[in-house]
């Protein structure tokens, strides 16, 4: 099949994001732990780009009862988004590149006193076999990365266009069931790494943004993972 014009970028960014997600948060990376809740650890770095707060975020979480494939499917699929994405006011799929790559146009709820934001990004889901450790379980990754389309120019309407680069990387671990027994959901553990850089794209007060990021991101990940558990609990396991 003819590859889409964005394919080289999608391939490159997805692999870069996978590498970045697997980097630890120790050492000189400058990561500060700012939120803990059970198995969830949230780290941030204080970074600015042209005076705008773009604090990179890395969150690590361990969730029982769902597979990485199920979690990434829910994160990627448009039909579930309104169920877990509280920052959303509106969402449209503006391009269906393939069954594993979509382009989204989203309008986000306004964060007072900043102007309302919208986002335009490609979203790509992929299974990655772990080349280092072949008998480890597969990884699943969803990568969301801002893009431009002539039909949806930035900053022409009421919203300021934000720029994001986000990845959700999930690895599934299965406790072997007793001899001859089927794998049950309680035998499954999913290790989640969520990385996000959201550049507000225009003026937004650093103090307000940092306060909102610190308050909203922990809620965002807990809400998302709870939604996944609820969605999957009565359904057959998707490995
Ligand atoms: C406050 C905070 C929680 C950081 C926040 C505020 C805003 C609203 C837009 C905004 C950003 C900055 C300044 C003003 N408004 C958007 C997002 C955001 C965007 C995208 C994604 S995603 O992971 O790609 C899932 C698809 O939506 C997650 C979160 C986060």
């Amino acid at each position: 099949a003819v590859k889409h014009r964005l394919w080289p970028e999608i391939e490159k960014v997805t692999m870069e994001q996978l590498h970045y997600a697997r980097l630890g948060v120790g050492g000189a990376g400058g990561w500060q732990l700012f939120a803990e809740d059970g198995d969830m650890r949230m780290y941030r770095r204080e970074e600015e780009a042209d005076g705008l707060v773009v604090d990179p975020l890395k969150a690590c979480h361990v969730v029982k009862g769902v597979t990485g494939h199920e979690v990434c499917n829910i994160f990627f699929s448009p039909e579930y988004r309104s169920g877990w994405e509280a920052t959303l006011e509106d969402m449209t799929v503006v391009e269906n590149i393939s069954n594993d790559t979509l382009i989204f146009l989203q309008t986000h709820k306004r964060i007072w006193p900043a102007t309302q934001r919208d986002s335009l990004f490609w979203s790509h889901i992929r299974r990655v076999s772990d080349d280092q450790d072949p008998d480890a379980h597969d990884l699943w990754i969803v990568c969301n990365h801002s893009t431009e389309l002539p039909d949806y120019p930035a900053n022409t309407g009421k919203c300021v266009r934000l720029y994001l680069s986000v990845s959700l990387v999930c690895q599934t671990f299965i406790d072997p069931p007793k001899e001859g027994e089927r794998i049950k959901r309680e035998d499954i553990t999913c290790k989640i790494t969520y990385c996000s850089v959201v550049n507000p794209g225009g003026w937004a007060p650093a103090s307000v943004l940092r306060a909102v990021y610190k308050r909203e991101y922990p809620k965002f990940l807990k809400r998302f993972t709870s939604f996944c558990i609820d969605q999957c609990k009565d359904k057959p396991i998707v490995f």
Side-chain angles (χ1 to χ4, degrees):
V2 171
K3 281 290 179 195
H4 190 270
R5 63 181 162 70
L6 281 173
W7 188 249
E9 178 189 287
I10 291 168
E11 183 66 24
K12 176 173 171 289
V13 170
T14 301
M15 286 300 125
E16 282 169 355
Q17 284 281 12
L18 180 64
H19 174 75
Y20 178 75
R22 288 161 120 170
L23 292 177
V25 285
W31 292 103
Q32 307 157 15
L33 177 69
F34 75 91
E36 261 184 285
D37 185 324
D39 289 314
M40 184 179 75
R41 303 275 179 283
M42 278 208 155
Y43 304 86
R44 58 198 279 270
R45 281 205 318 263
E46 296 221 347
E47 252 174 52
E48 306 203 352
D50 350 306
L52 297 176
V53 166
V54 292
D55 299 358
L57 176 116
K58 179 176 276 200
C60 306
H61 199 4
V62 178
V63 179
K64 286 196 70 68
V66 286
T67 65
H69 189 177
E70 290 170 331
V71 169
C72 282
N73 263 337
I74 291 169
F75 188 73
F76 172 75
S77 305
E79 60 270 22
Y80 296 111
R81 196 154 298 178
S82 59
W84 57 265
E85 231 295 31
T87 75
L88 274 199
E89 188 174 276
D90 190 39
M91 176 206 75
T92 317
V93 175
V94 295
E95 200 171 330
N96 234 303
I97 294 178
S98 60
N99 64 354
D100 62 9
T101 309
L102 305 171
I103 298 186
F104 289 90
L105 175 66
Q106 300 193 153
T107 311
H108 298 271
K109 287 178 182 147
R110 182 173 174 233
I111 296 175
W112 185 88
T115 310
Q116 186 172 29
R117 260 65 182 176
D118 66 9
S119 55
L120 180 69
F121 56 91
W122 53 257
S123 184
H124 176 60
I125 185 170
R126 171 185 310 198
R127 178 197 289 267
V128 177
S129 46
D130 193 339
D131 42 10
Q132 275 120 4
D133 175 2
D135 62 1
H137 293 282
D138 285 341
L139 290 169
W140 279 86
I141 179 169
V142 177
C143 191
N144 293 345
H145 192 81
S146 285
T147 191
E148 295 177 346
L149 288 176
D151 290 1
Y152 304 92
N155 307 320
T156 53
K158 61 179 171 35
C159 292
V160 169
R161 180 69 46 89
L162 71 77
Y163 295 92
L164 61 84
S165 197
V166 166
S167 69
L168 183 76
V169 177
C170 294
Q171 186 154 30
T172 309
F173 298 88
I174 301 170
D175 297 328
K178 293 176 192 54
E179 189 56 34
E181 289 211 1
R182 291 162 57 84
I183 296 172
K184 296 184 292 301
R185 282 200 176 276
E186 64 250 31
D187 303 326
I188 297 171
T189 303
C190 181
K191 187 173 174 303
I192 297 173
T193 304
Y194 174 82
C195 299
S196 150
V197 179
V198 175
N199 180 326
W203 179 81
S207 54
V208 169
L209 265 196
R210 289 198 161 122
V212 172
Y213 279 26
K214 286 176 86 166
R215 190 183 66 241
E216 292 302 319
Y217 264 124
K219 280 164 44 182
F220 167 83
L221 198 61
K222 277 173 67 73
R223 180 183 163 94
F224 171 68
T225 50
S226 307
F227 180 84
C228 290
I229 292 164
D230 274 353
Q231 274 298 317
C232 297
K233 63 180 190 289
D234 306 325
K235 291 177 186 161
I237 302 169
V238 177
F239 291 100

